[in-house]
Amino acid sequence: MAIDDTPAPHTRPHAPRRAGPPDTTTQDEDAQTCALMADSARLSRRKFLNAAGAGVAAALAAPALAETLADVPPRVPGDPISLNSKRSTHVALARITESSPGKLNVDPVLAINSKTPLDKLEGTVTPSDLHYERSHSGSPDLDPARHRLLIHGMVRNPVVLALPDLKAMPSLSRLHFMECSGNGWANWKKADPTLTVQETHGLVSMHEWAGVPLSYLMEVAGVDRDATWMLAEGGDAAGVARSIPLTPDVLSDVLVAYAQNGEPLRPAHGFPMRLLVPGMEGNLSIKWLRRLKFGKQPFMTRWETDRYTQLLPSGKSRQFQLYQEVNSVITSPSGTMRIERGRQRITGLAWSGRGKIAKVEFSTDGGHSWHVARINPPVLHKAQVRFEAAWTWDGKPTRIVSRATDEKGNVQPDRKTLLATMGENALFHYNAQQTWAIDAQGGVTNVLA
Ligand SMILES: Nc1nc2c(c(=O)[nH]1)N[C@H]1C(S)=C(S)[C@@H](COP(=O)(O)O)O[C@H]1N2
Ligand SMILES: [Mo]
């Protein structure tokens, strides 16, 4: 199987649509063309890197394009200027609902979450309306004029802040991923071959968040130096509340956010304010935030004595498994897609709650041999990166898989390694390498390695 690591051209490399007589190219000719294109792309790699575009020219040069736009529709007057731009009518993007691990597309009334369409997105930033949602008791639409944030406990000056108070404080904006600890949970025990990557991995999203650093609020309230834990509580009916250890990592990264992707938070994501705890399980990022309490030990809410504990093979439960460990997934080709023989653009996302992504590798032979994928900059702290690689599929059944490494040297485990320590009873923090099988017809399915 031929591998080349040159960036894929931004064209459909395989049999572009031609004007004029019907396309009589056979599959074999196409395969040869693709091999030629791959060769010329490889040859021109240095040129491509020096001057963007050389690889594209090489790819375009192979099957001649007809020099006419005769079959392109005529120009027509457009819609009037609008107050909110809509997606193209040719584009369908939506989250999907889930009621329990792998039970998908349920009536929204029964759903506990909805998942991001990772298979249909590009780059790294998730549009706000497609950010996955996990709400334990619905999404209240709070009145910002009446909402307050109380900061108390081991502090010198307890304070009650309204939204304008927060907005008057120094702010920061940062790009961070957010991931539910349940992401990947459908694959703990078995691999349903009908699942898409949205269904297996859609409980992760990435945004630009803006708000006030926690460390600043701690100064305002005069938090006692001996405080080591913080309780964060939401204003929703369930009153989701979590204890967060005041580690250096937390003190430097946590925000009380009021904006997401440039606009005020949307109600489903915590309007008018939420905690953002980068790199840690999503449930710590308390939405509709109304209380921060400082103390010397965890507050032992039911969310951490029961709900978010992790059942180990020994039958004991682990409490406070907070970090979202290094992870990656190939988003294309991925579950239920169909590929054609020839040149492919393999692409996906990688992220780590421990810091920056250092490397992403991919395998097109089920993990026997690995190649380094190209990472699109910027590579940011606790942020997703997009990786890409060019691959020529020879039409034989195989398996593709990715593996990320973070700057701390953590390597995404394969399934066997993860299960060796966690067993199969665990529900959260499934970050095993994701394998997609490709059959002789080019059909792509979710499998366990
Ligand atoms: N108050 C409150 N905060 C909450 C939740 C909730 O139900 N209520 N869900 C948590 C969980 S489990 C996750 S994964 C994230 C999801 O945030 P999102 O819905 O904006 O994606 O919010 C967390 N914060
Ligand atoms: Mo979650």
Side-chain angles (χ1 to χ4, degrees), residues 104-425:
L104 296 147
N105 298 305
V106 298
D107 181 334
V109 174
L110 302 175
I112 64 165
N113 70 53
S114 65
K115 299 184 159 189
T116 297
L118 298 178
D119 45 347
K120 300 194 182 76
L121 300 180
E122 292 290 348
T124 53
V125 173
T126 314
S128 297
D129 64 316
L130 299 173
H131 176 66
Y132 82 88
E133 180 184 357
R134 171 73 176 106
S135 299
H136 288 81
S137 54
S139 158
D141 191 7
L142 303 185
D143 176 359
R146 296 180 58 205
H147 185 79
R148 298 290 181 271
L149 170 62
L150 166 65
I151 306 181
H152 68 153
M154 286 176 67
V155 304
R156 274 195 311 282
N157 327 302
V159 282
V160 175
L161 302 171
L163 185 61
D165 300 323
L166 270 190
K167 288 203 163 174
M169 291 176 177
S171 79
L172 272 180
S173 56
R174 286 179 179 157
L175 278 151
H176 288 299
F177 75 86
M178 179 179 296
E179 184 178 24
C180 181
S181 53
N183 203 20
W185 60 6
N187 276 352
W188 270 114
K189 287 194 167 66
K190 58 176 179 24
D192 176 344
T194 69
L195 297 188
T196 66
V197 69
Q198 176 174 17
E199 294 165 337
T200 59
H201 285 77
L203 289 176
V204 63
S205 301
M206 175 140 120
H207 306 274
E208 190 208 52
W209 304 93
V212 179
L214 174 67
S215 55
Y216 184 84
L217 292 169
M218 287 174 65
E219 250 174 58
V220 169
V223 172
D224 193 316
R225 282 177 177 277
D226 292 337
T228 49
W229 285 83
M230 174 180 79
L231 175 79
E233 181 193 70
D236 49 341
V240 176
R242 287 296 322 254
S243 308
I244 299 160
L246 297 173
T247 59
D249 210 22
V250 164
L251 293 175
S252 64
D253 288 356
V254 173
L255 296 179
V256 172
Y258 45 73
Q260 179 181 350
N261 291 346
E263 63 174 340
L265 294 175
R266 295 184 177 206
H269 306 300
F271 180 81
M273 57 183 76
R274 82 177 299 168
L275 199 66
L276 180 77
V277 185
M280 292 186 174
E281 46 184 32
N283 64 72
L284 300 183
S285 290
I286 296 295
K287 302 193 273 190
W288 315 291
L289 182 69
R290 69 172 192 186
R291 198 156 70 95
L292 292 175
K293 184 176 184 182
F294 291 86
K296 270 187 171 170
Q297 61 268 312
F299 294 78
M300 297 298 182
T301 71
R302 73 180 174 93
W303 307 97
E304 54 215 24
T305 55
D306 174 16
R307 181 69 206 150
Y308 289 110
T309 58
Q310 177 93 306
L311 188 55
L312 301 175
S314 64
K316 291 194 174 187
S317 284
R318 174 186 287 164
Q319 201 179 11
F320 299 117
Q321 180 170 356
L322 300 182
Y323 278 96
Q324 291 301 120
E325 303 294 347
V326 63
N327 208 339
S328 74
V329 66
I330 295 174
T331 55
S332 180
S334 61
T336 75
M337 291 183 184
R338 184 167 292 279
I339 62 169
E340 311 248 323
R341 254 213 266 185
R343 198 169 159 90
Q344 307 295 325
R345 169 178 166 247
I346 291 184
T347 184
L349 294 164
W351 62 99
S352 168
R354 302 280 182 178
K356 290 182 182 172
I357 286 294
K359 182 169 70 170
V360 182
E361 295 159 289
F362 70 103
S363 171
T364 56
D365 58 9
H368 294 292
S369 63
W370 293 89
H371 310 269
V372 175
R374 189 165 56 87
I375 293 178
N376 287 343
V379 178
L380 300 171
H381 179 65
K382 301 180 182 177
Q384 287 187 319
V385 295
R386 180 159 292 278
F387 63 88
E388 290 192 17
W391 169 51
T392 303
W393 183 49
D394 60 8
K396 296 201 187 87
T398 189
R399 291 177 168 216
I400 59 173
V401 51
S402 66
R403 162 172 92 185
T405 303
D406 69 21
E407 62 178 345
K408 303 269 163 58
N410 301 301
V411 182
Q412 184 184 0
D414 60 26
R415 183 179 158 77
K416 277 200 196 82
T417 308
L418 180 69
L419 263 54
T421 49
M422 294 310 300
E424 283 183 27
N425 291 330

